[in-house]
Amino acid sequence: MQAGKKRLPVVNCGSHRYNGCHNLRNIGYKVPMLDIKAIREQPKEIENKLKARDPALSLDRLLLLDERRRKSIQEVETLKNQRNKASEEIARFKTAQREEEAQARIREMRQTAERIKTLEDELAATEEELNNLLIRLPNLPHESVPVSMRKEDKIVVREHKTLPTFEFEPKHHLDLGEELGILDFPRAARIAGARFPLYKGWGARLEMALINFFLDFHFTQTGYTPILPPYLGNSETMFTASQLPKFKDDVYYIEKDDLYLNPTAETLLCSLHRDEILEASQLPLKYMAYTACFRREAGAAGEEERGLIRMHQFNKVELFKFTRAEDSFDELESLVRDAEAVLQPLDLHYRVVLLPTSDIAAQSAKTYDLEVWIPSQRRYYEVSSCSNCTDYQARRGSIRYRPEPGAKPEYVHTLNGSALATSRLLSALLETNQRADGSVVIPEVLRDYVGGSVIQP
RNA sequence: GGAGAGGUAGUCAAGUGGCCGAAGACGGCGGCUUGCUAAGCCGUUGUAGGGGUAAAACUCUACCGUGGGUUCAAAUCCCACCCUCUCCGCCA
């Protein structure tokens, strides 16, 4: 049985291919997002919780395969035990020069070896199917998450400031950007294609100012360790964060090297401690990373998402925490506060919303979004998403910690939050701070970073 | 990209087909010493899965970079790949 091997954390995984069909055949058994033991022990409870996210979901097949798997393991291991004993005997016969008896045992063991091989193949097939079901189950939503299949059923937790008012018709940021000469989408299209950004002059200054302001703030005020990660990740990295298998069509993939372009630094930071056992005293570990993020955004289009709202490439500062299991929901609250803390000095109107079961990412147990007001569209847009993924990603990447020195390792909890998606924030900033003459006022806190206080047409 | 050397437990390191889950050392943990004293001695020491138990105890299976293969039997032999180091080439 290769099952034993398969269950081990996979370390050097660059050789793992997804076989074109992304069936994760070579990924270790011990990677499900939900504990198979828990599923076995309380299938109905878990199924009901998961139905809050997807009413069609059923655990029946999975439970059947689990049963079959355990039966096969027993059978195979009994045979292996026989084989191991026989091997010892053969070794003893050989050293005692009792060749006849050794040969007799070897003849017997030929059949056993064949039987083991057959059973192992069956077991491997069962485990593959089981795995493919397990890795696609979403995380269990936390009890505080509103149960609803309607995305609109989010709860507004708090609002900051009042809606901005204008004595003129506020312009769309794309028009502002073009008139000010700070955004140039036609030339970006020439270089790359549609939905790629090009910031120019004060636009580039402003975008960089936001990034630097956020990084400085979290370095000095909230204590996150800055990371400059690789911008490409391998398949194991994508799998751990749960970009794979579900979002394979949304991620840019470089086939020749079997690497994926970073869709969000969450994905990269999540694998920072993959296959490690951390000490409880190290936790929580707080990291942040600025990266450009790349997404194919297949199927996305429309007037609403013109300009900087939805692009193939955007900038983002990401916060990421590895915490003890019992602390993670408290850590989520402080993560949201940390993300908000950079929004407040920018003087923008925003709100914090708690997403319902149907709208949270598969890996997340609970998600708050920060939404900022976009005046030209008279609607809110998400600039941050803060999630507690509990042990979901930790299981996939085998990221653990010892609660006490010498104690059995447990899975850490992982949390991520954008702080913030600067590209979207820039549109809110331009639109909110525009004046009747077409100029844009730079918020106080950014002026030193930008090197100016007003962008004039 | 080419040539070479490596990858064994927390770390270092022995082991080239059979009582090897793997010597030894260091570290860690527990204990004993307290006239070898910023030391000595003794013991212990991973992970995962299955069975078992109220929980333990206990027991079995697997794990020597990864994945395959050969064999009754693989750390050891064969194939492919990954990673690290050195040299050459290329390059910001």
Side-chain angles (χ1 to χ4, degrees):
Chain A
M1 166 187 70
Q2 294 93 21
K5 284 181 193 168
K6 286 184 152 194
R7 281 184 219 116
L8 277 184
V10 182
V11 181
N12 292 319
C13 44
S15 62
H16 289 299
R17 299 286 197 250
Y18 282 74
N19 303 317
C21 56
H22 291 247
N23 67 0
L24 299 155
R25 196 166 56 88
N26 292 326
I27 297 294
Y29 172 72
K30 191 57 197 144
V31 291
M33 64 308 301
L34 295 181
D35 187 358
I36 183 69
K37 283 181 184 167
I39 294 175
R40 195 183 296 151
E41 278 159 23
Q42 21 189 292
K44 280 297 149 202
E45 286 86 337
I46 288 177
E47 192 174 73
N48 286 338
K49 283 185 181 176
L50 293 178
K51 276 180 189 289
R53 309 183 56 142
D54 176 6
L57 204 140
S58 162
L59 296 177
D60 292 348
R61 178 73 184 161
L62 205 144
L63 288 164
L64 184 111
L65 289 167
D66 175 54
E67 186 65 32
R68 185 187 296 171
R69 170 178 171 271
R70 283 185 297 151
K71 277 208 177 105
S72 296
I73 286 175
Q74 283 184 45
E75 222 176 318
V76 171
E77 291 193 346
T78 306
L79 286 175
K80 284 200 167 181
N81 189 9
Q82 284 173 23
R83 184 180 71 184
N84 288 345
K85 289 194 169 124
S87 279
E88 279 177 33
E89 269 181 51
I90 291 167
R92 271 199 300 270
F93 285 140
K94 289 255 184 187
T95 40
Q97 307 273 322
R98 292 155 69 181
E99 199 51 41
E100 293 275 305
E101 286 151 291
Q103 285 308 321
R105 291 301 270 142
I106 288 172
R107 272 196 297 280
E108 280 173 46
M109 280 304 112
R110 268 191 200 125
Q111 286 162 25
T112 308
E114 243 171 73
R115 181 76 186 129
I116 289 174
K117 201 176 174 111
T118 312
L119 287 172
E120 278 189 339
D121 287 348
E122 283 172 25
L123 178 60
T126 304
E127 291 198 328
E128 185 183 335
E129 193 188 340
L130 182 60
N131 272 341
N132 275 317
L133 293 178
L134 276 170
I135 61 172
R136 283 171 172 80
L137 289 182
N139 202 353
L140 295 172
H142 189 250
E143 55 195 18
S144 61
V145 174
V147 175
S148 169
M149 290 317 294
R150 291 165 22 98
K151 293 185 176 186
E152 303 74 44
D153 287 342
K154 51 193 169 192
I155 295 172
V156 177
V157 178
R158 54 183 173 267
E159 290 185 67
H160 179 76
K161 295 207 31 139
T162 46
L163 289 178
T165 51
F166 297 90
E167 286 164 4
F168 54 94
E169 189 58 34
K171 289 177 182 168
H172 189 277
H173 69 268
L174 188 53
D175 301 326
L176 274 171
E178 279 172 3
E179 286 164 26
L180 293 168
I182 61 174
L183 293 174
D184 193 338
F185 280 93
R187 289 195 173 89
R190 179 187 293 160
I191 295 169
R195 289 183 175 272
F196 280 92
L198 191 150
Y199 304 86
K200 183 181 164 191
W202 293 112
R205 292 289 293 175
L206 191 51
E207 179 76 5
M208 289 188 277
L210 283 169
I211 295 166
N212 286 323
F213 167 58
F214 295 162
L215 290 171
D216 282 355
F217 185 92
H218 288 299
F219 184 65
T220 58
Q221 305 296 308
T222 53
Y224 288 79
T225 304
I227 303 283
L228 275 172
Y231 281 14
L232 301 181
N234 56 35
S235 46
E236 184 81 344
T237 295
M238 296 299 130
F239 176 78
T240 297
S242 185
Q243 287 295 328
L244 289 180
K246 205 178 168 189
F247 292 110
K248 74 180 168 80
D249 290 334
D250 294 320
V251 191
Y252 286 102
Y253 176 57
I254 300 165
E255 191 170 4
K256 196 171 181 183
D257 299 291
D258 194 26
L259 289 168
Y260 298 79
L261 259 73
N262 168 46
T264 157
E266 171 202 349
T267 307
L268 307 173
L269 292 175
C270 190
S271 277
L272 192 63
H273 292 295
R274 195 173 73 219
D275 295 314
E276 289 185 32
I277 299 176
L278 306 164
E279 292 304 325
S281 56
Q282 295 176 266
L283 303 176
L285 285 166
K286 296 159 69 177
Y287 296 105
M288 64 172 157
Y290 155 74
T291 63
C293 304
F294 301 91
R295 296 183 185 178
R296 295 187 63 239
E297 300 291 357
E303 170 64 18
E304 275 194 345
E305 307 198 320
R306 216 156 55 96
L308 294 170
I309 299 295
R310 188 177 296 279
M311 294 181 294
H312 290 312
Q313 177 187 324
F314 61 97
N315 298 307
K316 188 152 68 80
V317 172
E318 185 79 4
L319 305 179
F320 200 94
K321 290 187 190 180
F322 298 88
T323 77
R324 305 180 203 210
E326 64 269 28
D327 298 336
S328 66
F329 284 97
D330 288 341
E331 293 286 352
L332 177 62
E333 298 302 319
S334 67
L335 182 69
V336 176
R337 295 288 182 184
D338 291 342
E340 277 180 81
V342 288
L343 210 39
Q344 283 158 10
L346 292 175
D347 236 16
L348 293 169
H349 172 70
Y350 73 87
R351 63 182 191 181
V352 180
V353 299
L354 176 61
L355 300 186
T357 47
S358 56
D359 203 23
I360 56 182
Q363 65 268 29
S364 174
K366 182 175 184 179
T367 298
Y368 290 101
D369 275 3
L370 303 187
E371 298 181 333
V372 69
W373 181 255
I374 305 278
S376 70
Q377 293 189 37
R378 305 200 57 76
R379 58 163 285 187
Y380 292 94
Y381 261 105
E382 168 197 343
V383 291
S384 175
S385 198
C386 299
S387 298
N388 180 3
C389 298
T390 61
D391 60 353
Y392 188 94
Q393 295 173 325
R395 284 178 190 280
R396 295 167 85 97
S398 191
I399 313 163
R400 292 170 295 171
Y401 72 106
R402 284 185 208 282
E404 307 281 334
K408 204 173 155 64
E410 285 179 21
Y411 291 106
V412 300
H413 282 193
T414 58
L415 298 88
N416 67 82
S418 6
L420 303 154
T422 54
S423 309
R424 262 189 200 175
L425 201 59
L426 189 72
S427 36
L429 212 59
L430 291 175
E431 292 192 16
T432 304
N433 294 325
Q434 62 180 303
R435 297 189 295 200
D437 64 358
S439 63
V440 172
V441 180
I442 307 291
E444 199 81 38
V445 288
L446 295 179
R447 287 181 188 171
D448 282 349
Y449 289 99
V450 174
S453 55
V454 181
I455 304 178
Q456 300 283 357

